[in-house]
Amino acid sequence: MEKRWAEHLITNFEIVNKLAEELSISDVLAQMLYNRGITSFLEAKAFFRPELHDLHDPFLMNGMTEAVDRIEKAIQQNEHILIYGDYDVDGTTSVALVYSFFKEFYTNLTYYIPDRYLEGYGISTQGIDFAEDNDVSLIIALDCGIKAVDKVEYARQKGIDFIICDHHLPGEQIPDAIAVLDPKRRDCNYPYKELSGCGLGFKLAQAYAAKNNIPFEQVCRYLDLVAVSIASDIVPITGENRVLAYYGLQKLNNDPCNGLKALIELSGKSDRFTIADIVFSIGPRINAAGRIDDAKHAVKLLIASSTQLAEDAGFIINLKNAERKEYDSSITEQALNMIGSSPEMIKRKSTVVYDKNWHKGVIGIVASRLTERYYRPTVVLTESNGYVAGSARSVLGYDLYEALCECSDLLEQFGGHKYAAGLTMKPENVEKFVDRFESVVASSITEDMLIQQITVEKCIGLKDITPKFFRILNQFAPFGPQNMVPVFMTRGVYSYGYGSIVGNNHLKMSVRQKDSSVFECIAFGLGDYLEQINRGTPFDICYTIEENVWKDRRSIQLNIKGIKTY
């Protein structure tokens, strides 16, 4: 599928030139800083050299004082505390962090993760009943709870207090808990709004440590868990998250906890982990526990006190991940066949596929894969507990949540945001939903939205790619949302020698311009361009710049994302 190239065109030459001069960097790198909202020397220094002392005072968060006071009281009175979290990576890392931190000096603790299929997302009545049965008087809820007004009231009637640590958008009413920590609350003046759930757990531990004379270094032991949550929950890697991710990656690569060390070894990767490596290697393994079986396996792994315990838990989780991959591959293939064999489905502006036998734990992954293939709003449905449950994904610029609002009369419940959502309906409404969703999307989506976009950082010449340029470019890491790996564009390059096909239709070639060095390139899935690039005529490329290591030889390589021939 042909992709549209969209270049950053907004600039301020005065600011860019000043940054280039003050930092002794090229205009291209200065423009990249400007693209990320950095306009001064001090902002650039904070970006390139993150410091832990740049983290905000946790007591700036509304409710933090009350939360710490209630935990202190619980510990003084030897109350049973339950650490409660969601079943995804952010939830399980949150529980592991808070549980492990308090377990160092307090033992009357337990943790609880709701069953994805029997209880669903968030705080459940079953979880509160479990707390009551085990004489719990305080629940610390992580990565969930901001809308659990009725559940918090249910717990209060049983004499159980709640502290909520959530990073999702609040509803009209805030639960009547002892403390509700959420930077997105309208009445919260905390300076940074984009923390992950685990990041909030870290701030709670930071606050408790500060008030109780516990060294900050003791809290920083858990930064590897925070980095895994930031990567897997796809929160912006800006501000405080950049600091947490930067030092969390150092911890992950140099001294990971036993559980993450086991996952690193299972991944088979030998060099340093990046945010992208977490997203594609560690995150899916942790998620597989809750998708296929029980997310408590993930917490058990992440709190493992010995290498042996971690290896045992890691072995189970790796089996679940292998099972998840099989479901993922099989269901994706079935769904693609379903679409490919139906001319009517192919010509639609949306995709809705349904099979009552598909595994609910992987339909979100399948929806993402179908969106990559057909690039249009997509819903994947399966049967669950007498209802039809679905996972939906969107494309850049299209508000999926608004489209589902137009179908709300056919749905039992739905929730999510602009680009991803979950939904439930009665089986008899499936056909009506398919038609309504298509009608809504077809009438509101533009043709441009249906063409996948490559966002280009800047158009440069190959001569701009020097060792110094590449060295500074690497200092923009860690990459992630709002600081993506930069994609550059170069016009009028020539193939140096002849390109060739390697692997499954991948194009290997070298390119040059008249005034540049020769650069080796790999273009995954772009083998169809072989004949055109071998003609000896110029063409345009967009690409990321990376280091290629082969038999101890290191060289700069261009990873081609798109080719345009004349």
Side-chain angles (χ1 to χ4, degrees), residues 67-81 102 105-108 137-138 208 211-212:
V68 171
D69 288 349
R70 181 64 183 89
I71 294 169
E72 286 175 336
K73 179 187 171 189
I75 290 173
Q76 285 162 8
Q77 298 183 354
N78 196 36
E79 295 179 49
H80 193 183
I81 302 173
F102 285 108
F105 50 85
Y106 186 68
T107 57
N108 199 6
S137 51
L138 175 62
Y208 186 92
K211 192 173 175 204
N212 289 275

Side-chain angles (χ1 to χ4, degrees), residues 74 136 139-140 167 240 262 276 287 302 308 343 426 468 518 552 560:
V136 167
I139 297 175
I140 302 174
H167 67 127
E240 200 164 32
N287 254 334
L302 296 171
Q308 188 58 55
K426 291 176 179 174
K468 179 186 177 183
V518 175
D552 296 329
I560 308 293

Side-chain angles (χ1 to χ4, degrees), residues 44-234:
K45 184 184 175 187
F47 179 80
F48 283 127
R49 301 285 181 269
E51 297 288 350
L52 285 168
H53 61 65
D54 291 335
L55 294 175
H56 303 301
D57 177 355
F59 287 101
L60 293 173
M61 197 176 297
N62 189 344
M64 188 63 81
T65 299
E66 292 80 358
V68 171
D69 288 349
R70 181 64 183 89
I71 294 169
E72 286 175 336
K73 179 187 171 189
I75 290 173
Q76 285 162 8
Q77 298 183 354
N78 196 36
E79 295 179 49
H80 193 183
I81 302 173
L82 178 70
I83 315 296
Y84 188 112
D86 188 24
Y87 41 68
D88 67 359
V89 178
D90 195 17
T92 51
T93 51
S94 302
V95 169
L97 187 154
V98 173
Y99 179 86
S100 299
F101 170 74
F102 285 108
K103 194 77 172 175
E104 288 187 50
F105 50 85
Y106 186 68
T107 57
N108 199 6
L109 284 173
T110 191
Y111 62 85
Y112 187 92
I113 307 286
D115 185 286
R116 177 189 284 262
Y117 304 108
L118 299 178
E119 297 168 69
Y121 168 77
I123 295 164
S124 67
T125 52
Q126 294 98 313
I128 295 167
D129 292 343
F130 171 88
E132 182 185 31
D133 293 343
N134 288 274
D135 298 319
V136 167
S137 51
L138 175 62
I139 297 175
I140 302 174
L142 298 150
D143 191 36
C144 60
I146 192 61
K147 293 184 177 178
V149 175
D150 56 337
K151 301 298 191 300
V152 170
E153 175 58 26
Y154 178 73
R156 193 184 64 77
Q157 291 172 6
K158 294 175 178 290
I160 300 170
D161 288 339
F162 255 99
I163 292 169
I164 290 170
C165 307
D166 201 352
H167 67 127
H168 297 100
L169 280 168
E172 292 286 316
Q173 187 179 348
I174 300 293
D176 187 19
I178 295 295
V180 179
L181 308 178
D182 188 338
K184 292 189 175 80
R185 284 180 62 169
R186 286 179 193 158
D187 58 351
C188 183
N189 295 320
Y190 191 73
Y192 189 69
K193 304 295 183 184
E194 301 298 339
L195 290 167
S196 65
C198 189
L200 268 174
F202 180 87
K203 300 306 291 190
L204 179 65
Q206 183 190 1
Y208 186 92
K211 192 173 175 204
N212 289 275
N213 298 314
I214 297 170
F216 182 52
E217 291 73 25
Q218 206 161 312
V219 186
C220 291
R221 289 179 194 170
Y222 306 107
L223 279 170
D224 49 355
L225 293 170
V226 182
V228 169
S229 84
I230 287 171
S232 301
D233 221 52
I234 319 185

Side-chain angles (χ1 to χ4, degrees), residues 264-290:
I264 289 169
E265 288 172 358
L266 285 165
S267 76
K269 183 175 164 60
S270 57
D271 50 348
R272 294 182 72 79
F273 267 70
T274 65
I275 292 292
D277 294 324
I278 294 171
V279 170
F280 291 109
S281 183
I282 293 178
R285 284 180 164 84
I286 296 173
N287 254 334

